[in-house]
Amino acid sequence: MELDIQTLIFEFIGGLGIFLFGIKSMGDGLQKSAGDKLRDILDRFTTNPIMGVLAGMLVTILIQSSSGTTVITVGLVSAGFMTLRQAIGVIMGANIGTTVTAFVIGIDVGAYALPILAIGSVLIFFFNKKRINNIGQIFFGFGALFFGLELMGGAMKPLRSLESFHELTVSMSDNPILGVVIGTLFTVIVQSSSATIGILQELYGQNAINLKAALPVLFGDNIGTTITAILASLGASIAARRAALTHVLFNVIGTTIFLIILPFFTQFVGFLQEAFSLNKPMTLAFAHGTFNLTNTLIQLPFVGVLAYIVTKVIPGKDTAIDYNPRHLDPVFIEQSPSIALGQAKEEVVRMGQFATTGVEETGQYMKTKQRKHFDTAVQIEDAINNLDRKITDYLVLLSASSLSPGESEEHSMLLDSVRDIERIGDHFENINELIDYQIANKVRITDDASADLEEMFSLTLSAVKQAVYALEHKDLNSAREVLEKEHKIDLMERALRKKHILRLNERKCSGSAGIVFVDIISNFERIGDHAVNIAEAVLGEEEDKVRNYS
């Protein structure tokens, strides 16, 4: 008997591991084949809740994980790339998209799992083309999914003869809430509703559990899958925590509704099984699909209500960065290019202000080592990159319009400035990563070196602030002061390098600390270079205007 229990446990956990690996492999292959543009899909196609639902469905089908989609969504909300209302639509769509895996499992191709695995392996190992490798990964994952399911199914066959398991299924039939709790806990442990629903399909297919007991477990599986989004939102922005709570609320409300109508829903699923001659795993797939689709249709009109509830439950002002352009109206490109140019300048200045804040947050992280400053800097860098794309696209469209010589000069100056501001974002991101490395590896920087970094940071921040001010107000004096400060930054960088070598020679500083120190001052110097480029662009534009006027 001991051997039987050991075999049961080993086959079950081994099959579960292969199943989860198959799901991951198939999702990765699909994602790579799709061009890895999941973030763009969620970013661009979530203009309203209905589009959000469709985007959530598509991304979940591509990565084969509703948890993965909600984690991406929580990240986008946290970074300010998506509003709470948009996120709610995506979360609803993710719940529908995840039912595809259950339908795939419902197709009884377990006997062909090993040949499918073999095909996938051949495509991965014997072809050099990336596209074929990606298709191979999909096949391999598909085969592994069914092979793992077959192993788990074989392991669970003895459960039918166990009196205690039979009593448990009877209890779940009589007490649906027990089934919901079991489904929730099991999915929380496994971290995959696809896996737990697959196991449930196997149990139902082997007559180890009846439909009345299986459906509440199915509802619980949907609640359990929300734990991943909750974990992803811990320590994130208020908006991200609200998005995660919405995922929980959505599934709890749906489960409550379906528990109330459980006798009617059980009859409806039985009707579908007979009407379409469905096998038992496919019957549960239809039940899963019906649950999530109906739940979405019921709650979609109440997106605003859900947003209101989670805002009340998690109060406070969100600190997410508003990454969206505020001034880029494409109507002006056709109607009034000069106004459009002014709009573009407003947005470039705003981008510059983001860069200034990003440098400030980087300085705070360097000084305090508090993670919140790092997170804010990351959000700002994301916002800068997004504005870089949007402003550049706008200015490219504007270049086709008829601009005066002065306007053409300003147009070129803005394009150059956008590029320099984006590079400032890259450099303060580099500094944050260096500080991260310093913290993770317990690299100690001497007090003298820290004081030097603080001094260089202050001068660099001042140069960036004045460059943005000069750009906004066309202030030539400020622009010239930036040139002077940048010269001081260059001199300071050379002096600090020499001081660093002396510290190394005197063994006051370790090699790893020296690498961090030198890389940080190098990035500060490069930020100064880009600040001076912005100032020179302002000076050049004004000097060209004087020449044209003369």
Side-chain angles (χ1 to χ4, degrees):
M1 186 64 182
E2 283 293 321
L3 183 62
D4 290 337
I5 292 173
Q6 179 179 302
T7 303
L8 186 151
I9 293 171
F10 282 11
E11 284 189 2
F12 180 80
I13 62 174
L16 179 61
I18 293 169
F19 179 92
L20 291 171
F21 179 77
I23 287 276
K24 174 110 177 32
S25 180
M26 188 165 66
D28 288 347
L30 286 163
Q31 183 175 330
K32 289 172 187 173
S33 298
D36 202 15
K37 293 184 178 178
L38 305 177
R39 187 177 171 123
D40 286 342
I41 291 170
L42 291 177
D43 184 22
R44 293 173 58 191
F45 301 107
T46 54
T47 50
N48 59 62
I50 294 174
M51 289 299 293
V53 169
L54 295 174
M57 284 173 57
L58 177 60
V59 171
T60 305
I61 290 167
L62 289 177
I63 66 174
Q64 288 293 292
S65 170
S66 61
S67 297
T69 304
T70 50
V71 167
I72 294 171
T73 305
V74 165
L76 289 170
V77 171
S78 181
F81 279 69
M82 188 182 289
T83 66
L84 179 60
R85 287 188 175 220
Q86 289 172 322
I88 293 171
V90 173
I91 288 164
M92 290 177 174
N95 278 268
I96 298 172
T98 196
T99 63
V100 170
T101 309
F103 281 102
V104 169
I105 292 168
I107 304 166
D108 188 14
V109 293
Y112 305 100
L114 291 175
I116 294 169
L117 267 169
I119 291 168
S121 299
V122 168
L123 294 176
I124 291 169
F125 291 107
F126 295 98
F127 290 88
N128 292 324
K129 286 188 177 179
K130 209 168 187 179
R131 184 174 177 79
I132 294 175
N133 292 159
N134 292 339
I135 294 168
Q137 198 170 352
I138 296 168
F139 270 92
F140 185 86
F142 192 65
L145 184 156
F146 280 101
F147 183 60
L149 205 58
E150 287 284 298
L151 277 177
M152 285 191 290
M156 290 185 293
K157 278 179 182 175
L159 291 177
R160 285 178 296 181
S161 60
L162 287 177
E163 186 63 30
S164 56
F165 185 79
H166 179 68
E167 289 173 0
L168 178 63
T169 58
V170 170
S171 298
M172 287 192 294
S173 298
D174 296 336
N175 184 5
I177 293 174
L178 176 63
V180 172
V181 171
I182 289 171
T184 301
L185 292 177
F186 194 25
T187 306
V188 166
I189 294 165
V190 176
Q191 290 280 293
S192 170
S193 61
S194 295
T196 51
I197 290 167
I199 293 166
L200 189 64
Q201 286 174 288
E202 277 294 311
L203 286 169
Y204 183 51
Q206 295 175 12
N207 297 315
I209 188 171
N210 61 36
L211 185 61
K212 193 177 178 183
L215 291 178
V217 178
L218 183 72
F219 305 153
D221 290 339
N222 282 276
I223 296 174
T225 195
T226 64
I227 188 66
T228 312
I230 292 169
L231 293 173
S233 72
L234 295 177
S237 68
I238 289 173
R241 296 204 297 276
R242 287 170 180 164
L245 178 60
T246 303
H247 194 201
V248 177
L249 202 60
F250 173 76
N251 283 298
V252 168
I253 290 171
T255 296
T256 304
I257 292 169
F258 274 80
L259 282 177
I260 292 168
I261 61 166
L262 184 59
F264 303 102
F265 185 58
T266 306
Q267 287 179 8
F268 174 72
V269 173
F271 165 75
L272 289 178
Q273 186 175 17
E274 290 181 14
F276 296 102
S277 301
L278 303 175
N279 63 32
K280 291 199 168 185
M282 187 61 81
T283 301
L284 279 192
F286 268 85
H288 189 208
T290 304
F291 169 77
N292 281 297
L293 183 60
T294 307
N295 192 21
T296 298
L297 291 174
I298 290 170
Q299 296 193 54
L300 189 58
F302 302 102
V303 165
V305 176
L306 285 171
Y308 176 80
I309 291 170
V310 295
T311 302
K312 288 296 179 185
V313 173
I314 304 176
K317 187 178 179 183
D318 191 51
T319 56
I321 306 298
D322 180 12
Y323 85 108
N324 285 309
R326 294 178 180 174
H327 307 96
L328 305 182
D329 192 337
V331 172
F332 289 123
I333 293 176
E334 293 289 334
Q335 294 182 354
S336 178
S338 60
I339 293 177
L341 193 64
Q343 296 267 297
K345 183 187 172 184
E346 290 285 327
E347 208 60 60
V348 174
V349 169
R350 183 165 165 260
M351 185 179 171
Q353 289 164 347
F354 273 140
T356 303
T357 307
V359 175
E360 287 174 335
E361 291 294 328
T362 299
Q364 286 297 311
Y365 189 43
M366 185 174 70
K367 187 176 181 179
T368 66
K369 305 297 188 291
Q370 290 181 359
R371 189 71 187 181
K372 64 181 182 180
H373 298 297
F374 174 88
D375 293 338
T376 303
V378 168
Q379 286 186 32
I380 290 168
E381 213 276 324
D382 270 347
I384 288 171
N385 288 339
N386 185 68
L387 288 175
D388 171 37
R389 291 192 299 271
K390 298 289 174 67
I391 295 169
T392 301
D393 290 345
Y394 191 79
L395 288 171
V396 168
L397 288 173
L398 186 57
S399 64
S401 305
S402 55
L403 299 171
S404 68
E407 288 171 341
S408 294
E409 288 292 336
E410 184 165 5
H411 181 274
S412 299
M413 183 268 291
L414 291 175
L415 270 174
D416 291 340
S417 297
V418 166
R419 187 168 59 250
D420 282 304
I421 293 168
E422 192 276 331
R423 293 297 295 142
I424 288 172
D426 290 342
H427 288 297
F428 73 63
E429 181 183 36
N430 292 343
I431 296 169
N432 278 295
E433 287 171 357
L434 287 164
I435 300 165
D436 242 10
Y437 171 84
Q438 178 194 347
I439 295 168
N441 293 277
K442 296 182 172 59
V443 175
R444 186 186 171 277
I445 291 178
T446 64
D447 292 340
D448 285 347
S450 296
D452 289 340
L453 287 176
E454 187 67 31
E455 186 182 358
M456 191 169 185
F457 160 73
S458 298
L459 190 58
T460 305
L461 176 61
S462 176
V464 173
K465 280 184 176 178
Q466 278 200 291
V468 174
Y469 181 86
L471 175 65
E472 183 177 9
H473 300 283
K474 295 183 180 177
D475 189 313
L476 301 186
N477 289 330
S478 291
R480 292 188 187 101
E481 285 178 24
V482 174
L483 270 61
E484 292 173 10
K485 285 181 179 177
E486 199 273 335
H487 180 61
K488 289 179 183 177
I489 291 170
D490 287 346
L491 292 175
M492 187 179 289
E493 192 219 6
R494 287 196 285 273
L496 294 186
R497 281 180 184 271
K498 288 177 183 176
K499 286 177 72 175
H500 161 64
I501 292 168
L502 286 173
R503 280 194 295 270
L504 277 176
N505 291 337
E506 293 170 3
R507 300 191 181 279
K508 292 180 179 178
C509 176
S510 67
S512 54
I515 291 169
V516 171
F517 179 82
V518 169
D519 282 352
I520 288 176
I521 63 172
S522 178
N523 276 285
F524 277 141
E525 191 272 332
R526 295 297 297 140
I527 289 173
D529 288 344
H530 291 293
V532 89
N533 288 346
I534 296 167
E536 285 177 343
V538 173
L539 289 169
E541 185 203 3
E542 291 305 306
E543 287 167 3
D544 286 337
K545 282 184 179 178
V546 171
R547 279 198 296 272
N548 290 333
Y549 183 76
S550 301

